[in-house]
Amino acid sequence: MKFLAITLIVHRPDPITGVQKPTHDRFREVLDNALLAEELGFDGFGVGEREALALYRPIFESTLAFLKQFGLPVVFESVEDFVERSSALIGSPQQIVDKVHRYHEQFGHTVLRVHADASGLTRAQHRASLELFQSEAAPELRRQIPDPPFTWGPVLPVTEEEPAHV
């Protein structure tokens, strides 16, 4: 299984401090996250089990308050519901492996795009969660969900010189 890390520039205030970061700071975070993912040699995101909910709860509640403040639709009323029903990878490595397997069984995918943004975590917490994913969840997923037996590459257009195969 392959993992593609994606880090987005967040355009809302920090979920913990409520401070809107300047554009150049948001770009710097994107670069830092990309460099960190490359440095660690993986492309995903996960957090440890018990501390995950405690760590993520204020971030979730801040986001929930932001949605309600602006009258935006709320899909998940609690962090527990968010972790259970969303595609967020929050929990122990085994919980993350189990969740990815549920999605794989439904969709059959072998490429997983995962947010690698810090989303309110400190640099140390963010790095620890990425290291945990890389060391424990990713190897299991790669072992249990192998890549398809074909090579990846660009699809090239047929040229006029090549005969059509019927």
Short mmCIF file of all heavy atoms in Angstrom, two decimals, residues 45-90:
data_model
loop_
_atom_site.label_atom_id
_atom_site.label_comp_id
_atom_site.label_asym_id
_atom_site.label_seq_id
_atom_site.Cartn_x
_atom_site.Cartn_y
_atom_site.Cartn_z
N PHE A 45 -0.41 10.03 8.50
CA PHE A 45 -0.60 10.73 9.76
C PHE A 45 -1.39 9.84 10.72
O PHE A 45 -2.39 9.25 10.35
CB PHE A 45 -1.39 12.00 9.48
CG PHE A 45 -1.64 12.90 10.65
CD1 PHE A 45 -2.22 14.12 10.45
CD2 PHE A 45 -1.30 12.55 11.94
CE1 PHE A 45 -2.46 14.99 11.51
CE2 PHE A 45 -1.53 13.42 13.00
CZ PHE A 45 -2.11 14.63 12.77
N GLY A 46 -0.96 9.75 11.93
CA GLY A 46 -1.68 9.03 12.97
C GLY A 46 -1.27 9.54 14.34
O GLY A 46 -0.27 10.22 14.48
N VAL A 47 -2.06 9.24 15.38
CA VAL A 47 -1.77 9.68 16.74
C VAL A 47 -2.02 8.51 17.68
O VAL A 47 -2.86 7.66 17.40
CB VAL A 47 -2.68 10.87 17.14
CG1 VAL A 47 -2.39 11.35 18.54
CG2 VAL A 47 -2.54 12.02 16.16
N GLY A 48 -1.31 8.45 18.81
CA GLY A 48 -1.49 7.37 19.77
C GLY A 48 -2.89 7.33 20.37
O GLY A 48 -3.60 8.33 20.39
N GLU A 49 -3.30 6.18 20.92
CA GLU A 49 -4.68 5.89 21.29
C GLU A 49 -5.29 6.78 22.36
O GLU A 49 -6.11 7.63 22.08
CB GLU A 49 -4.78 4.44 21.74
CG GLU A 49 -6.18 3.98 22.00
CD GLU A 49 -6.25 2.49 22.22
OE1 GLU A 49 -5.24 1.81 22.05
OE2 GLU A 49 -7.33 2.03 22.56
N ARG A 50 -4.91 6.62 23.63
CA ARG A 50 -5.58 7.36 24.70
C ARG A 50 -5.34 8.86 24.60
O ARG A 50 -6.24 9.65 24.74
CB ARG A 50 -5.13 6.85 26.06
CG ARG A 50 -5.84 5.59 26.40
CD ARG A 50 -5.92 5.38 27.89
NE ARG A 50 -6.54 4.11 28.12
CZ ARG A 50 -5.89 2.98 28.21
NH1 ARG A 50 -4.59 2.95 28.11
NH2 ARG A 50 -6.53 1.86 28.40
N GLU A 51 -4.07 9.22 24.38
CA GLU A 51 -3.80 10.64 24.32
C GLU A 51 -4.37 11.28 23.06
O GLU A 51 -4.55 12.47 22.99
CB GLU A 51 -2.30 10.94 24.43
CG GLU A 51 -1.49 10.56 23.22
CD GLU A 51 -0.81 9.22 23.31
OE1 GLU A 51 -1.12 8.43 24.22
OE2 GLU A 51 0.02 8.96 22.46
N ALA A 52 -4.70 10.46 22.07
CA ALA A 52 -5.20 11.00 20.82
C ALA A 52 -6.49 11.79 21.04
O ALA A 52 -6.60 12.92 20.59
CB ALA A 52 -5.43 9.88 19.80
N LEU A 53 -7.47 11.19 21.71
CA LEU A 53 -8.72 11.91 21.95
C LEU A 53 -8.50 13.12 22.85
O LEU A 53 -9.03 14.19 22.58
CB LEU A 53 -9.78 10.99 22.55
CG LEU A 53 -10.47 10.05 21.57
CD1 LEU A 53 -11.52 9.21 22.29
CD2 LEU A 53 -11.08 10.80 20.42
N ALA A 54 -7.73 12.95 23.89
CA ALA A 54 -7.47 14.07 24.80
C ALA A 54 -6.73 15.19 24.07
O ALA A 54 -7.03 16.37 24.24
CB ALA A 54 -6.66 13.61 26.00
N LEU A 55 -5.79 14.80 23.22
CA LEU A 55 -5.00 15.76 22.46
C LEU A 55 -5.84 16.44 21.39
O LEU A 55 -5.76 17.65 21.18
CB LEU A 55 -3.82 15.03 21.82
CG LEU A 55 -2.72 15.82 21.19
CD1 LEU A 55 -2.03 16.69 22.22
CD2 LEU A 55 -1.71 14.87 20.56
N TYR A 56 -6.69 15.66 20.72
CA TYR A 56 -7.45 16.20 19.59
C TYR A 56 -8.74 16.89 20.03
O TYR A 56 -9.26 17.74 19.32
CB TYR A 56 -7.77 15.09 18.58
CG TYR A 56 -8.28 15.66 17.29
CD1 TYR A 56 -7.42 16.30 16.41
CD2 TYR A 56 -9.63 15.63 16.98
CE1 TYR A 56 -7.89 16.86 15.25
CE2 TYR A 56 -10.11 16.20 15.82
CZ TYR A 56 -9.23 16.81 14.95
OH TYR A 56 -9.69 17.38 13.81
N ARG A 57 -9.27 16.56 21.21
CA ARG A 57 -10.55 17.13 21.66
C ARG A 57 -10.59 18.66 21.59
O ARG A 57 -11.52 19.23 21.02
CB ARG A 57 -10.90 16.65 23.06
CG ARG A 57 -12.28 17.08 23.52
CD ARG A 57 -12.63 16.51 24.89
NE ARG A 57 -12.49 15.07 24.97
CZ ARG A 57 -13.38 14.20 24.50
NH1 ARG A 57 -14.48 14.64 23.92
NH2 ARG A 57 -13.18 12.91 24.62
N PRO A 58 -9.61 19.41 22.14
CA PRO A 58 -9.70 20.87 22.05
C PRO A 58 -9.63 21.38 20.61
O PRO A 58 -10.25 22.39 20.29
CB PRO A 58 -8.51 21.38 22.86
CG PRO A 58 -7.66 20.21 23.18
CD PRO A 58 -8.46 18.97 22.93
N ILE A 59 -8.92 20.68 19.76
CA ILE A 59 -8.84 21.08 18.35
C ILE A 59 -10.22 20.88 17.71
O ILE A 59 -10.73 21.76 17.02
CB ILE A 59 -7.76 20.26 17.62
CG1 ILE A 59 -6.38 20.56 18.22
CG2 ILE A 59 -7.79 20.52 16.12
CD1 ILE A 59 -5.29 19.59 17.81
N PHE A 60 -10.83 19.72 17.96
CA PHE A 60 -12.16 19.45 17.42
C PHE A 60 -13.18 20.45 17.94
O PHE A 60 -13.97 21.01 17.18
CB PHE A 60 -12.60 18.02 17.78
CG PHE A 60 -14.02 17.74 17.36
CD1 PHE A 60 -14.29 17.33 16.07
CD2 PHE A 60 -15.07 17.91 18.25
CE1 PHE A 60 -15.59 17.09 15.66
CE2 PHE A 60 -16.37 17.68 17.85
CZ PHE A 60 -16.64 17.27 16.56
N GLU A 61 -13.17 20.69 19.25
CA GLU A 61 -14.15 21.59 19.85
C GLU A 61 -13.98 23.02 19.33
O GLU A 61 -14.97 23.73 19.13
CB GLU A 61 -14.07 21.52 21.37
CG GLU A 61 -14.61 20.19 21.89
CD GLU A 61 -14.42 19.97 23.37
OE1 GLU A 61 -13.72 20.79 24.04
OE2 GLU A 61 -14.94 18.96 23.88
N SER A 62 -12.76 23.43 19.11
CA SER A 62 -12.52 24.75 18.54
C SER A 62 -13.06 24.84 17.11
O SER A 62 -13.69 25.83 16.73
CB SER A 62 -11.02 25.05 18.55
OG SER A 62 -10.75 26.27 17.91
N THR A 63 -12.84 23.79 16.34
CA THR A 63 -13.37 23.75 14.97
C THR A 63 -14.89 23.74 14.99
O THR A 63 -15.54 24.43 14.20
CB THR A 63 -12.82 22.52 14.22
OG1 THR A 63 -11.39 22.59 14.21
CG2 THR A 63 -13.33 22.45 12.80
N LEU A 64 -15.47 22.97 15.90
CA LEU A 64 -16.93 22.92 16.04
C LEU A 64 -17.49 24.30 16.39
O LEU A 64 -18.49 24.75 15.80
CB LEU A 64 -17.29 21.89 17.11
CG LEU A 64 -18.77 21.62 17.34
CD1 LEU A 64 -19.42 21.05 16.09
CD2 LEU A 64 -18.94 20.65 18.51
N ALA A 65 -16.86 24.98 17.32
CA ALA A 65 -17.30 26.33 17.70
C ALA A 65 -17.20 27.28 16.51
O ALA A 65 -18.08 28.12 16.29
CB ALA A 65 -16.47 26.85 18.88
N PHE A 66 -16.13 27.16 15.73
CA PHE A 66 -15.95 27.99 14.54
C PHE A 66 -17.10 27.76 13.56
O PHE A 66 -17.68 28.71 13.04
CB PHE A 66 -14.60 27.66 13.89
CG PHE A 66 -14.34 28.38 12.60
CD1 PHE A 66 -13.85 29.67 12.60
CD2 PHE A 66 -14.57 27.76 11.39
CE1 PHE A 66 -13.60 30.34 11.41
CE2 PHE A 66 -14.33 28.42 10.19
CZ PHE A 66 -13.84 29.71 10.20
N LEU A 67 -17.44 26.50 13.30
CA LEU A 67 -18.54 26.18 12.38
C LEU A 67 -19.85 26.78 12.86
O LEU A 67 -20.60 27.39 12.09
CB LEU A 67 -18.67 24.66 12.22
CG LEU A 67 -17.52 23.93 11.54
CD1 LEU A 67 -17.71 22.42 11.64
CD2 LEU A 67 -17.39 24.37 10.09
N LYS A 68 -20.14 26.59 14.15
CA LYS A 68 -21.39 27.09 14.72
C LYS A 68 -21.44 28.61 14.71
O LYS A 68 -22.49 29.20 14.44
CB LYS A 68 -21.59 26.54 16.13
CG LYS A 68 -21.91 25.05 16.14
CD LYS A 68 -22.09 24.52 17.55
CE LYS A 68 -22.50 23.06 17.52
NZ LYS A 68 -22.70 22.51 18.87
N GLN A 69 -20.31 29.25 14.99
CA GLN A 69 -20.26 30.72 15.02
C GLN A 69 -20.67 31.31 13.68
O GLN A 69 -21.33 32.34 13.63
CB GLN A 69 -18.85 31.17 15.38
CG GLN A 69 -18.65 32.67 15.35
CD GLN A 69 -17.20 33.07 15.62
OE1 GLN A 69 -16.35 32.24 15.88
NE2 GLN A 69 -16.93 34.35 15.54
N PHE A 70 -20.29 30.66 12.60
CA PHE A 70 -20.59 31.18 11.27
C PHE A 70 -21.78 30.49 10.62
O PHE A 70 -22.02 30.65 9.42
CB PHE A 70 -19.35 31.10 10.39
CG PHE A 70 -18.29 32.07 10.82
CD1 PHE A 70 -17.24 31.64 11.62
CD2 PHE A 70 -18.37 33.42 10.49
CE1 PHE A 70 -16.27 32.53 12.05
CE2 PHE A 70 -17.41 34.32 10.91
CZ PHE A 70 -16.36 33.88 11.69
N GLY A 71 -22.52 29.70 11.40
CA GLY A 71 -23.72 29.05 10.89
C GLY A 71 -23.44 28.00 9.83
O GLY A 71 -24.30 27.71 8.99
N LEU A 72 -22.24 27.43 9.87
CA LEU A 72 -21.88 26.39 8.89
C LEU A 72 -22.43 25.05 9.36
O LEU A 72 -22.61 24.83 10.56
CB LEU A 72 -20.36 26.34 8.73
CG LEU A 72 -19.73 27.63 8.20
CD1 LEU A 72 -18.22 27.57 8.31
CD2 LEU A 72 -20.16 27.87 6.76
N PRO A 73 -22.69 24.13 8.43
CA PRO A 73 -23.26 22.84 8.83
C PRO A 73 -22.30 22.04 9.71
O PRO A 73 -21.10 22.01 9.47
CB PRO A 73 -23.51 22.11 7.51
CG PRO A 73 -22.80 22.88 6.46
CD PRO A 73 -22.50 24.24 6.99
N VAL A 74 -22.87 21.40 10.72
CA VAL A 74 -22.09 20.57 11.63
C VAL A 74 -22.47 19.12 11.35
O VAL A 74 -23.63 18.75 11.43
CB VAL A 74 -22.40 20.93 13.10
CG1 VAL A 74 -21.75 19.94 14.06
CG2 VAL A 74 -21.95 22.35 13.39
N VAL A 75 -21.49 18.32 10.99
CA VAL A 75 -21.73 16.91 10.68
C VAL A 75 -21.50 16.04 11.92
O VAL A 75 -22.24 15.11 12.17
CB VAL A 75 -20.83 16.44 9.52
CG1 VAL A 75 -21.00 14.97 9.23
CG2 VAL A 75 -21.09 17.28 8.27
N PHE A 76 -20.47 16.37 12.68
CA PHE A 76 -20.10 15.57 13.85
C PHE A 76 -20.22 16.43 15.09
O PHE A 76 -19.55 17.45 15.22
CB PHE A 76 -18.66 15.06 13.70
CG PHE A 76 -18.42 14.32 12.42
CD1 PHE A 76 -17.74 14.93 11.37
CD2 PHE A 76 -18.90 13.03 12.25
CE1 PHE A 76 -17.53 14.26 10.18
CE2 PHE A 76 -18.69 12.35 11.06
CZ PHE A 76 -18.01 12.97 10.02
N GLU A 77 -21.09 16.03 16.03
CA GLU A 77 -21.33 16.81 17.25
C GLU A 77 -20.32 16.53 18.35
O GLU A 77 -20.22 17.28 19.30
CB GLU A 77 -22.74 16.56 17.76
CG GLU A 77 -23.82 17.21 16.92
CD GLU A 77 -23.87 18.73 17.07
OE1 GLU A 77 -23.32 19.28 18.04
OE2 GLU A 77 -24.47 19.36 16.20
N SER A 78 -19.58 15.40 18.24
CA SER A 78 -18.61 15.07 19.28
C SER A 78 -17.34 14.54 18.63
O SER A 78 -17.36 14.04 17.50
CB SER A 78 -19.17 14.02 20.25
OG SER A 78 -19.23 12.76 19.61
N VAL A 79 -16.24 14.62 19.36
CA VAL A 79 -14.98 14.11 18.85
C VAL A 79 -15.06 12.60 18.68
O VAL A 79 -14.50 12.04 17.73
CB VAL A 79 -13.79 14.55 19.72
CG1 VAL A 79 -13.80 13.86 21.07
CG2 VAL A 79 -12.47 14.30 19.01
N GLU A 80 -15.79 11.92 19.57
CA GLU A 80 -15.93 10.47 19.45
C GLU A 80 -16.66 10.09 18.15
O GLU A 80 -16.25 9.16 17.46
CB GLU A 80 -16.68 9.90 20.66
CG GLU A 80 -15.90 9.97 21.96
CD GLU A 80 -15.95 11.34 22.66
OE1 GLU A 80 -16.68 12.24 22.20
OE2 GLU A 80 -15.24 11.50 23.66
N ASP A 81 -17.71 10.83 17.85
CA ASP A 81 -18.45 10.58 16.60
C ASP A 81 -17.57 10.89 15.39
O ASP A 81 -17.58 10.15 14.40
CB ASP A 81 -19.72 11.45 16.58
CG ASP A 81 -20.60 11.16 15.39
OD1 ASP A 81 -20.70 9.99 14.97
OD2 ASP A 81 -21.21 12.12 14.87
N PHE A 82 -16.79 11.96 15.48
CA PHE A 82 -15.89 12.33 14.39
C PHE A 82 -14.87 11.22 14.13
O PHE A 82 -14.65 10.81 12.99
CB PHE A 82 -15.18 13.64 14.75
CG PHE A 82 -14.13 14.06 13.77
CD1 PHE A 82 -14.48 14.53 12.51
CD2 PHE A 82 -12.79 14.00 14.10
CE1 PHE A 82 -13.51 14.91 11.59
CE2 PHE A 82 -11.81 14.39 13.20
CZ PHE A 82 -12.17 14.85 11.94
N VAL A 83 -14.27 10.70 15.19
CA VAL A 83 -13.26 9.64 15.04
C VAL A 83 -13.91 8.37 14.50
O VAL A 83 -13.35 7.70 13.64
CB VAL A 83 -12.54 9.38 16.38
CG1 VAL A 83 -11.70 8.12 16.33
CG2 VAL A 83 -11.69 10.59 16.75
N GLU A 84 -15.10 8.05 14.97
CA GLU A 84 -15.77 6.82 14.55
C GLU A 84 -16.26 6.88 13.10
O GLU A 84 -16.04 5.96 12.33
CB GLU A 84 -16.97 6.54 15.47
CG GLU A 84 -17.77 5.30 15.09
CD GLU A 84 -16.99 4.01 15.14
OE1 GLU A 84 -16.05 3.90 15.96
OE2 GLU A 84 -17.30 3.09 14.37
N ARG A 85 -16.92 7.97 12.70
CA ARG A 85 -17.58 8.00 11.40
C ARG A 85 -16.83 8.72 10.29
O ARG A 85 -17.16 8.57 9.12
CB ARG A 85 -18.97 8.63 11.54
CG ARG A 85 -19.93 7.82 12.36
CD ARG A 85 -21.37 8.31 12.28
NE ARG A 85 -21.51 9.74 12.55
CZ ARG A 85 -22.02 10.61 11.68
NH1 ARG A 85 -22.43 10.23 10.50
NH2 ARG A 85 -22.14 11.88 12.01
N SER A 86 -15.82 9.51 10.63
CA SER A 86 -15.09 10.24 9.58
C SER A 86 -13.89 9.42 9.12
O SER A 86 -13.60 8.36 9.65
CB SER A 86 -14.61 11.60 10.10
OG SER A 86 -13.45 11.44 10.90
N SER A 87 -13.20 9.94 8.14
CA SER A 87 -11.99 9.26 7.66
C SER A 87 -10.75 9.67 8.45
O SER A 87 -9.65 9.24 8.13
CB SER A 87 -11.79 9.55 6.17
OG SER A 87 -11.65 10.94 5.96
N ALA A 88 -10.92 10.47 9.50
CA ALA A 88 -9.78 10.93 10.30
C ALA A 88 -9.06 9.74 10.92
O ALA A 88 -9.69 8.82 11.43
CB ALA A 88 -10.26 11.86 11.41
N LEU A 89 -7.74 9.77 10.84
CA LEU A 89 -6.93 8.69 11.41
C LEU A 89 -6.40 9.12 12.77
O LEU A 89 -5.29 9.60 12.91
CB LEU A 89 -5.78 8.33 10.46
CG LEU A 89 -6.22 7.82 9.09
CD1 LEU A 89 -5.02 7.50 8.23
CD2 LEU A 89 -7.15 6.62 9.22
N ILE A 90 -7.24 8.94 13.78
CA ILE A 90 -6.92 9.33 15.14
C ILE A 90 -7.12 8.09 16.01
O ILE A 90 -8.19 7.50 16.00
CB ILE A 90 -7.83 10.48 15.63
CG1 ILE A 90 -7.63 11.70 14.74
CG2 ILE A 90 -7.57 10.79 17.09
CD1 ILE A 90 -8.63 12.80 14.99
#
